[in-house]
Amino acid sequence: MRTRQGMVLGLILLLCASSAVNGYSATTTTQAISRREFIRSALLSSGVVAGAFLIQPSVARADISTQLASTAALRNVKRASKQLDGMEAFATSVDYQGMKDAIRTAPLAEVRKNAFALVKGAGEEGPVLDGYKAFIASLEALDTTCNLALRGREIPSLQLVEKFDSTTLTLADFIKVAQASVEVPEVGESDAT
């Protein structure tokens, strides 16, 4: 709200300054100006002010929206982790079709999009990106194992369990790293003694 008030005040000051520069004074009434000249001057001044405010990048708003998107994405990735934990029965009973179908069911089906939103929020470099790559590679390996088994290829009996465990561990590691990158210290947190 303060920024809107500041913008209005700045606009009024700029209009007064513009009028003074053009030879018109808001304090004296001795000089007559036409309505057309006044409106043209006001529109030109307000256009300049509006353009200046619109051109300025609003870094604070971008940070807040990225923070909110990262928080929502982290929440969705945690939901996918809970779904993945519930899929252990498919791995232990060697149910390739059940595992494949569960991978393609939300929220696990959308985990790539949500995880990449966390990577973008963290700056697309560093441990979050490494965790993302490891998790996606293990999820794809799990999916490939299911697809190959359903096509008739002979898969060792423990391979599905190994791929499932690998996917679960890499997702848990990714969540830890992503959560650390999303957390923002609250104002005054360091001042508390």
Side-chain angles (χ1 to χ4, degrees):
M1 198 66 173
R2 284 185 174 167
T3 58
R4 182 172 287 168
Q5 291 171 350
M7 288 174 45
V8 171
L9 182 61
L11 181 61
I12 291 170
L13 290 175
L14 188 62
L15 284 174
C16 291
S18 174
S19 297
V21 168
N22 290 332
Y24 310 121
S25 174
T27 58
T28 63
T29 57
T30 59
Q31 202 173 25
I33 62 170
S34 70
R35 195 179 306 162
R36 176 179 287 166
E37 289 176 18
F38 177 77
I39 291 173
R40 185 176 50 117
S41 174
L43 288 176
L44 179 65
S45 299
S46 63
V48 169
V49 170
F53 281 115
L54 292 176
I55 291 174
Q56 265 185 341
S58 58
V59 176
R61 279 187 280 175
D63 289 344
I64 290 171
S65 64
T66 302
Q67 182 66 31
L68 291 174
S70 294
T71 304
L74 181 62
R75 193 175 330 116
N76 290 334
V77 170
K78 286 180 178 180
R79 286 182 188 144
S81 177
K82 287 181 183 177
Q83 179 188 1
L84 188 64
D85 291 340
M87 294 166 40
E88 186 173 4
F90 297 128
T92 56
S93 65
V94 191
D95 182 3
Y96 295 109
Q97 186 64 49
M99 182 68 75
K100 179 181 174 184
D101 291 342
I103 289 172
R104 285 164 175 72
T105 305
L108 194 58
E110 299 166 353
V111 73
R112 183 186 298 258
K113 174 184 71 170
N114 291 315
F116 193 70
L118 290 167
V119 171
K120 285 179 15 183
E124 297 189 23
E125 288 187 17
V128 177
L129 179 62
D130 296 338
Y132 170 79
K133 287 180 179 179
F135 165 63
I136 294 301
S138 64
L139 182 64
E140 288 175 351
L142 177 64
D143 187 50
T144 301
T145 301
C146 293
N147 286 331
L148 290 174
L150 291 172
R151 290 184 188 154
R153 184 175 289 182
E154 189 65 32
I155 304 292
S157 60
L158 291 179
Q159 186 172 355
L160 184 63
V161 174
E162 290 171 359
K163 298 290 183 185
F164 175 78
D165 289 341
S166 172
T167 303
T168 305
L169 290 175
T170 55
L171 179 57
D173 291 343
F174 174 72
I175 288 173
K176 286 178 190 174
V177 173
Q179 192 164 8
S181 72
V182 168
E183 289 178 356
V184 175
E186 294 185 23
V187 177
E189 186 174 282
S190 61
D191 296 336
T193 55

